[in-house]
Amino acid sequence: MMLGVWTAQTPQYQSQGDEGADCVSELTRLPGLADVHVHLRVPGGEHKEDVRSGTAAALAGGFTTILAMPNTHPPLVTLARLQAAQLQAQRESLCDVAYYAGASANHVDELPALGSCAVALKIYMDQTYGPLRIEGLATLLACFRAWPKDKPIAIHAEGPSIAVGIGLAAAFGRSVHFCHVSRRSEITLIAHAKHQGLAVTCEVTPHHLFLTEADLPRLGTLGDMRPTLAQQADVDALWSHIDTTVDCVATDHAPHTLVEKSSTASPPGVPGLETAVPLMLTAVVEGRLSMDRLVELMAANPRRIFGLPNQPHTWIEVDVGDTFVISQEGLHTKCGWSPFTGMRVRGRVHTVCLRGETVVRDGAVIPTARTGSVC
Ligand code: DOR
Ligand code: ZN
Ligand code: ZN
């Protein structure tokens, strides 16, 4: 077995050990990853995912920190609700969790208080799952005025809404993070804004990097999410900006049960925590991005943009020699399915160590682990 070690100082990851051994596995050590876009479904959606199952899925996927979204039932738009969710995560989480506060027209007055407890503000500008949506420029302005300037604002914006978000970043002289950018026009616009010196950042999801609308006949509603799957030209554009404009790869892990997904009112959203690393490692093996860039997109940039605390003695080991077909067997997410089932990938999360404690060994989450905290 070989052991590769990634370090911040070395531009390339290195392999160490008994190179001549029969075993094809090749372990590479990376920092604990951070996913800035996860739907934990607590409160109100515990049949889809709860803190324990969601954070187990995160660890199994190589993420030692996740940022939880506020479009729960009820949504996290008041200090009382946010603190209740944080308290529950403090008791039940297996990895570190930070919470977004949600923007709501009826609770703008809560934003200053929420600002001191949440990691960032989430503004939904376009229609998606759950009740949260900010309509109208006046409310958007009120949210931008009320939210502490030193805390990030993340926006679910699609198409022209991204231009509005860029305008707000410019007008208020503050940073704005765009969630799940999926279209060529969107990533092009964000590239232009960055070239103008605006402090905008963005994430892309593995499903928008690895699937297109051509997969929809096969996937049916299991391929439905917001933003929807796009065309090959859009996917190509995201990849062409992966070393430049894209700041983070985030999963938008949005679990719904198979029963819900096959109902007539199928909710949008797909799980992603346990498939992101194998997919991105496959891209590394295929030469579409470097291992260093993967670490920037999935660890360093998320931590910098959202001011996440360091996790000492925390690392993961991935096996880039392990080729397998994604299956729903053994998934930790409560929803128990993946839109990537059947895809052949290269690279598996082997070990996760959080603050000196091994919490994933040989791909399995150690059941007694209780090592997460709320940041
Ligand atoms: O497809 C999606 N599902 N997009 C979102 O923005 C929300 C998410 C969910 O919460 O299910
Ligand atoms: Zn969204
Ligand atoms: Zn989301």
Side-chain angles (χ1 to χ4, degrees), residues 214-250:
D215 293 296
L216 283 173
R218 178 176 61 84
L219 289 171
T221 55
L222 297 188
D224 182 37
M225 75 291 289
R226 301 294 175 273
T228 55
L229 292 177
Q231 298 184 351
Q232 189 61 48
D234 297 302
V235 173
D236 293 344
L238 296 182
W239 279 111
S240 73
H241 283 268
I242 202 83
D243 282 339
T244 51
T245 315
V246 178
D247 296 285
C248 307
V249 168

Side-chain angles (χ1 to χ4, degrees), residues 32-325:
L33 305 180
D35 186 351
V36 302
H37 196 142
V38 173
H39 296 270
L40 275 185
R41 306 302 190 203
V42 180
E46 290 84 352
H47 63 289
K48 303 170 192 274
E49 198 79 284
D50 58 28
V51 174
R52 194 154 270 270
S53 63
T55 55
L59 285 180
F63 297 101
T64 52
T65 305
I66 58 172
L67 270 57
M69 283 293 167
N71 63 333
T72 50
H73 297 279
L76 306 181
V77 295
T78 66
L79 188 60
R81 286 183 199 161
L82 178 71
Q83 287 180 330
Q86 288 174 324
L87 208 61
Q88 184 167 355
Q90 190 71 55
R91 287 194 301 266
E92 298 174 11
S93 67
L94 302 178
C95 69
D96 288 357
V97 185
Y99 277 84
Y100 285 94
S104 150
N106 296 331
H107 298 281
V108 174
D109 54 330
E110 296 250 1
L111 291 180
L114 284 163
S116 57
C117 288
V119 70
L121 177 66
K122 177 72 183 279
I123 299 179
Y124 288 89
M125 288 184 66
D126 291 291
Q127 192 64 55
T128 183
Y129 178 71
L132 289 181
R133 174 132 180 223
I134 295 294
E135 276 167 337
L137 188 56
T139 315
L140 274 174
L141 292 182
C143 293
F144 267 69
R145 283 197 194 100
W147 191 248
K149 197 147 183 204
D150 61 331
K151 286 273 172 96
I153 295 179
I155 308 185
H156 176 129
E158 298 185 33
S161 302
I162 294 185
V164 175
I166 289 171
L168 289 166
F172 282 82
R174 64 175 301 155
S175 61
V176 167
H177 178 80
F178 291 99
C179 303
H180 44 48
V181 173
S182 66
R183 299 307 196 259
R184 177 166 55 180
S185 55
E186 297 173 350
I187 198 71
T188 305
L189 177 59
I190 290 171
H192 283 307
K194 287 186 171 203
H195 285 137
Q196 295 299 318
L198 295 177
V200 296
T201 56
C202 69
E203 69 194 35
V204 298
T205 70
H207 47 268
H208 292 120
L209 286 171
F210 288 89
L211 299 172
T212 69
E213 57 185 25
D215 293 296
L216 283 173
R218 178 176 61 84
L219 289 171
T221 55
L222 297 188
D224 182 37
M225 75 291 289
R226 301 294 175 273
T228 55
L229 292 177
Q231 298 184 351
Q232 189 61 48
D234 297 302
V235 173
D236 293 344
L238 296 182
W239 279 111
S240 73
H241 283 268
I242 202 83
D243 282 339
T244 51
T245 315
V246 178
D247 296 285
C248 307
V249 168
T251 65
D252 195 1
H253 177 82
H256 299 285
T257 67
L258 278 173
V259 170
E260 290 165 337
K261 288 296 273 188
S262 54
S263 73
T264 45
S266 170
V270 297
L273 280 168
E274 292 167 88
T275 45
V277 167
L279 289 164
M280 294 308 293
L281 286 174
T282 304
V284 170
V285 170
E286 290 172 351
R288 306 176 92 176
L289 80 168
S290 68
M291 188 69 98
D292 277 0
R293 186 63 184 154
L294 182 150
V295 170
E296 281 171 7
L297 293 168
M298 301 182 81
N301 290 350
R303 290 187 188 285
R304 177 179 47 78
I305 292 165
F306 288 90
L308 304 177
N310 270 338
Q311 296 172 302
H313 310 295
T314 298
W315 44 262
I316 69 172
E317 277 170 0
V318 296
D319 186 350
V320 289
D322 194 342
T323 302
F324 69 103
V325 175

